[in-house]
Amino acid sequence: MIGISNHRLTYFGGILLIGTVGVLCAQQASKADVQKRVAAFKDSMAQNQRALAQYTWKQQTQMLLDGDVKNTSVEQVRIGPDGKMEKTPLSDPNQQQKKKPRGLKGKIAAKKMAEMKAYIERLMSLCGRYMKPLPDRLQQAVKEGRAEVVQGVGSPVLQLKFKDYYKAGDLLSISVDREAMSMHALEASTYLDGEDDPVSLSMQFDALQDGTSYMKLLDIGAPAQKLALKVNSFEHERVAQ
């Protein structure tokens, strides 16, 4: 089985609570006003991070190759005093351990697993650039005219689109509730080693009873590798004080 490092995944579930990104989306706002609201958005992220630190939750990660589940892991997650995610692996009774091939086949399989693990690490590093949008990059996109706001007639949801956010030709799209300023979704289309190695990213958000936002679902696709990663967070409970 390929061990997958999930520290990036859990981290983003904590701070990607970008409800107030919606304040960036006044179509006629001046650059100065947009920059002011970006600063407010940054403060909101920090506030929501502190709120989420009062919880612990479970997170399941699945790795699929050509549509088949190859690896499933479950962890207990919380935010530590240093602001970083602390994870405790949980046993999965449905996880089946397969016998590893021996001899030449075993060496070939081990090499492929090592290559895939390295690829996944680079993939997650790239996706992290989009899963945690940086206020400075959002501001720069607005300044250079690479940002736009889309709102359907009568729709309570605003869609913020940023072209060339991290790489030339990529697209970052953030959907927020116009009134509650809560995050609905985040999507990105980009590439890893080149345009022939496209990467898609989709995140869905939900809110706890007290309004704290968290990443509920994450889907990452790398079709050139026939690879998909699926993550879901659940069973949030307050940490005993």
Side-chain angles (χ1 to χ4, degrees):
M1 305 301 293
I2 300 177
I4 302 175
S5 173
N6 292 323
H7 66 282
R8 294 188 180 89
L9 297 177
T10 52
Y11 177 70
F12 303 123
I15 51 180
L16 242 185
L17 325 156
I18 314 177
T20 52
V21 174
V23 298
L24 299 178
C25 59
Q27 292 182 337
Q28 303 302 323
S30 66
K31 290 182 180 179
D33 186 45
V34 170
Q35 291 181 355
K36 178 181 178 181
R37 293 179 183 279
V38 168
F41 151 59
K42 182 178 179 180
D43 292 340
S44 177
M45 282 197 298
Q47 180 180 356
N48 207 93
Q49 173 77 348
R50 291 191 292 270
L52 195 65
Q54 301 177 38
Y55 290 87
T56 180
W57 64 93
K58 292 184 177 67
Q59 182 169 280
Q60 176 181 275
T61 302
Q62 288 187 324
M63 184 192 77
L64 296 85
L65 285 175
D66 203 13
D68 295 327
V69 177
K70 298 297 183 181
N71 191 325
T72 300
S73 61
V74 181
E75 298 171 307
Q76 191 76 34
V77 185
R78 63 165 295 176
I79 301 175
D82 59 357
K84 297 180 180 180
M85 290 294 174
E86 298 178 349
K87 304 172 297 173
T88 302
L90 301 176
S91 60
D92 184 357
N94 297 319
Q95 185 73 27
Q96 296 181 354
Q97 297 294 335
K98 297 183 179 179
K99 293 183 179 180
K100 297 181 179 180
R102 298 180 179 180
L104 180 58
K105 289 185 178 181
K107 292 181 180 180
I108 294 175
K111 181 180 179 180
K112 289 183 177 180
M113 285 192 292
E115 291 175 348
M116 182 57 68
K117 182 177 180 180
Y119 180 90
I120 291 174
E121 288 295 325
R122 292 194 300 116
L123 176 65
M124 293 312 306
S125 178
L126 171 66
C127 289
R129 304 286 185 173
Y130 301 89
M131 294 165 68
K132 182 190 175 185
L134 298 177
D136 289 346
R137 283 191 177 274
L138 299 180
Q139 283 184 326
Q140 190 66 22
V142 172
K143 181 179 179 181
E144 296 178 0
R146 294 182 285 106
E148 64 174 324
V149 177
V150 178
Q151 181 181 13
V153 178
S155 173
V157 178
L158 295 174
Q159 193 174 49
L160 313 177
K161 294 186 176 183
F162 301 89
K163 299 178 181 179
D164 303 332
Y165 170 77
Y166 179 67
K167 289 187 174 186
D170 69 7
L171 177 64
L172 172 65
S173 178
I174 303 172
S175 298
V176 297
D177 186 284
R178 183 177 183 179
E179 299 298 330
M181 301 301 178
S182 57
M183 174 70 89
H184 279 222
L186 180 149
E187 296 182 349
S189 57
T190 183
Y191 51 91
L192 189 56
D193 295 326
E195 294 185 0
D196 59 345
D197 190 12
V199 173
S200 64
L201 183 154
S202 174
M203 304 177 75
Q204 300 296 322
F205 292 81
D206 205 346
L208 302 174
Q209 290 185 349
D210 63 358
T212 301
S213 182
Y214 72 96
M215 184 195 77
K216 183 177 182 179
L217 298 172
L218 165 65
D219 285 290
I220 295 174
Q225 302 292 327
K226 298 182 180 181
L227 170 68
L229 298 174
K230 298 181 179 295
V231 182
N232 66 294
S233 301
F234 55 99
E235 293 186 11
H236 289 67
E237 298 180 352
R238 280 190 174 274
V239 177
Q241 302 296 325

